[in-house]
Amino acid sequence: QWWWQAHPYSLSAAPDGHRLRITVKNLGDQSGALATLRPGTRVLAEGPYGAFTAERARPGAPIVALAAGVGIAPLLSLLGSLPPNRSNVTLIYRVVSMAPGTIALQADVEALVARNGWTLRYLTGEIDECTMDAVRLSILAPDLPRADVFACGPRGFLDKAAEATKIAGVPAERFHDELFVF
């Protein structure tokens, strides 16, 4: 029924050759109706578009991934597409609360990090209240000045991340961001 409508969904897991996974928040008719689709329903997908891909990371360089809320979805896809031997990855995930059931894709995030031996750090609090400055990021990710940084989330979070990483010594060409809001 929506064959003629385009919807810009992001992958929330790396493609595995058999399936594509998207994570959708129910905010309207189309997004709510997606839950009624049966497994095996054919869809037309195209893309990816944009430059928020693992290919932007320099071989062997540390990676620091910064996510806020549902901005974790595209980062899960990006991180999941890294070569299996990529070891120096730190994921900093800003969440409102650590209360059970409140963290988007928590089990997937923790499984991916554990499987690859990466580092996961949570920052808690609303974006306006959460301290995310150069000092704190450098403590959470000691390799930050040498890293390729990938940040995904709402505008306020991305602005804080860009400023903090710049002050911490990350050149602009190694800071990659993707605006992701609901």
Side-chain angles (χ1 to χ4, degrees):
Q1 71 191 30
W2 306 317
W3 66 268
W4 52 272
Q5 295 178 352
H7 296 278
Y9 296 119
S10 293
L11 297 179
S12 58
D16 65 7
H18 301 286
R19 67 184 187 129
L20 298 175
R21 185 180 83 178
I22 59 173
T23 301
V24 179
K25 185 174 184 177
N26 185 350
L27 291 176
D29 293 342
Q30 282 85 15
S31 60
L34 282 174
T36 66
L37 291 177
R38 290 189 306 263
T41 300
R42 292 186 182 268
V43 298
L44 176 64
E46 64 178 10
Y49 298 105
F52 199 70
T53 64
E55 287 76 28
R56 303 288 304 260
R58 295 168 296 142
I63 291 176
V64 174
L66 305 168
V70 295
I72 193 64
L75 274 174
L76 269 177
S77 178
L78 183 147
L79 293 173
S81 67
L82 291 172
N85 60 348
R86 195 67 184 248
S87 61
N88 199 356
V89 176
T90 300
L91 172 58
I92 300 171
Y93 187 6
R94 202 266 331 145
V95 298
V96 174
S97 164
M98 293 299 294
T102 63
I103 299 173
L105 302 167
Q106 182 177 13
D108 293 339
V109 169
E110 292 177 358
L112 179 67
V113 168
R115 184 171 53 250
N116 289 289
W118 297 340
T119 301
L120 171 62
R121 303 281 188 238
Y122 287 103
L123 290 176
T124 57
E126 295 289 346
I127 289 175
D128 297 354
E129 303 164 356
C130 184
T131 302
M132 191 175 70
D133 57 23
V135 172
R136 188 159 190 200
L137 288 183
S138 296
I139 291 169
L140 295 172
D143 291 329
L144 183 62
R146 299 182 302 107
D148 288 309
V149 177
F150 293 88
C152 190
R155 175 57 47 213
F157 175 80
L158 294 179
D159 291 346
K160 278 186 172 186
E163 181 66 18
T165 56
K166 178 181 175 183
I167 291 170
V170 177
E173 65 270 10
R174 286 193 278 136
F175 180 82
H176 314 285
D177 64 344
E178 182 79 17
L179 180 64
F180 198 84
V181 293
F182 281 127

